[in-house]
Amino acid sequence: MLWTHVHTAPEDGVMPHIDVWRSVRRNDETKTRRSRRSLAMPRQVADVLDAHRGRQKAECRAAGKLWNPDGLLFPTTEGERRTALNVRRNFRLLLKAAGFETPNDWTPRELRTSFVSLLSDHGLPIESIARVVGHSTSSTTEKVYRKQLRPVISEGAEVMDEIFRTGGD
């Protein structure tokens, strides 16, 4: 991902967003052209990315180099583009540092499943979630990525309680 795809302070009232136009796939492209999208980001994420950009600029100055605004957000220590292997390795190192007992059992893909499941549990319609994650229909989102977080499905009972609630009888 390049800094030119990150818009933490866009003008004209547009929310901070990131252009998802590339991936860590072998050919560097998204799975399909329809997968290319611009996603709004929470203000907290924009603030973290601004701080990260500031650290990168400071590191460049300290090394006597000019910061490249077209550079990579998260380059390798050698300044190169990360491969899927680099991403997986760093993800597992973060999990280990966070105290996960079996970090090697996890992959970055599980973040996608968690993201979809959390949005669904919070009430976002599956069609909206599918658009965010780049699926052309909601079936893959629902069948592959959404996991039920609540052990008891209570919506039906809650509605029936509301319908049949009487004056305390």
Side-chain angles (χ1 to χ4, degrees):
M1 174 78 49
L2 303 176
W3 279 110
T4 52
H5 295 154
V6 176
H7 313 280
T8 57
E11 296 182 17
D12 301 328
V14 176
M15 291 184 69
H17 61 281
I18 191 161
D19 301 323
V20 181
W21 295 346
R22 299 271 183 234
S23 77
V24 293
R25 299 175 72 80
R26 282 192 180 98
N27 64 358
D28 201 33
E29 293 292 327
T30 54
K31 194 170 183 179
T32 68
R33 285 195 63 76
R34 292 188 66 179
S35 297
R36 293 180 179 186
R37 60 209 181 277
S38 294
L39 298 172
M41 68 176 92
R43 184 72 247 166
Q44 182 180 12
V45 172
D47 292 343
V48 168
L49 288 174
D50 280 337
H52 177 60
R53 182 180 3 228
R55 285 189 301 275
Q56 272 192 353
K57 287 180 178 180
E59 288 170 6
C60 283
R61 277 193 303 273
K65 298 178 183 175
L66 290 176
W67 183 73
N68 180 1
D70 295 326
L72 297 167
L73 261 74
F74 303 107
T76 64
T77 53
E78 294 81 28
E80 301 296 320
R81 186 179 299 270
R82 290 185 184 277
T83 64
L85 178 64
N86 297 135
V87 172
R88 195 169 39 256
R89 184 182 311 122
N90 289 125
F91 176 68
R92 289 173 175 163
L93 287 172
L94 289 170
L95 291 175
K96 184 176 182 180
F100 279 64
E101 290 183 20
T102 56
N104 290 337
D105 291 348
W106 292 80
T107 67
R109 169 121 353 250
E110 276 134 346
L111 293 175
R112 188 175 175 90
T113 301
S114 297
F115 178 73
V116 167
S117 300
L118 288 168
L119 290 179
S120 177
D121 194 56
H122 201 65
L124 193 63
I126 195 70
E127 296 80 11
S128 298
I129 298 169
R131 272 195 315 276
V132 169
V133 297
H135 294 154
S136 57
T137 68
S138 62
S139 63
T140 299
T141 312
E142 190 165 15
K143 291 176 185 172
V144 176
Y145 292 99
R146 182 171 70 174
K147 308 297 181 206
Q148 186 65 40
L149 297 180
R150 294 184 220 173
V152 176
I153 299 172
S154 61
E155 291 89 355
E158 291 166 356
V159 170
M160 294 304 285
D161 282 344
E162 185 67 31
I163 291 170
F164 293 107
R165 184 169 292 139
T166 60
D169 296 333

